[in-house]
Amino acid sequence: MLKKIVEDAGIDEKITSYYFSNFWTTSAKDIGISTKFISEGLGHHFLITTEIYLKSFDDAKDLVVA
């Protein structure tokens, strides 16, 4: 399904489900969606898993800004 969406959007780059997951997660976090909801969307069983995952994005942003 993702492949069809990418084709329909006219995107020539290879977009993986991992890329899409990261995009959705960071977008949801940036607009203030709760960690609990993001956790459910990612299928995580434990909230701490999502918190660690989200922290990795914060750490990556710090590296880019520094």
Side-chain angles (χ1 to χ4, degrees):
M1 184 75 149
L2 181 59
K3 183 177 179 178
K4 178 74 172 135
I5 293 169
V6 170
E7 287 174 1
D8 288 349
I11 298 171
D12 293 330
E13 298 177 33
K14 182 178 179 184
I15 304 295
T16 64
S17 58
Y18 181 77
Y19 174 90
F20 185 75
S21 176
N22 284 350
F23 174 79
W24 180 84
T25 303
T26 55
S27 297
K29 182 179 184 296
D30 288 346
I31 63 172
I33 292 177
S34 73
T35 302
K36 184 176 186 292
F37 186 82
I38 294 171
S39 183
E40 291 173 7
L42 293 171
H44 292 164
H45 295 285
F46 302 102
L47 194 59
I48 189 70
T49 303
T50 307
E51 291 169 345
I52 292 167
Y53 186 60
L54 293 173
K55 175 85 171 91
S56 72
F57 292 119
D58 289 339
D59 292 346
K61 285 180 183 176
D62 291 344
L63 290 174
V64 173
V65 173

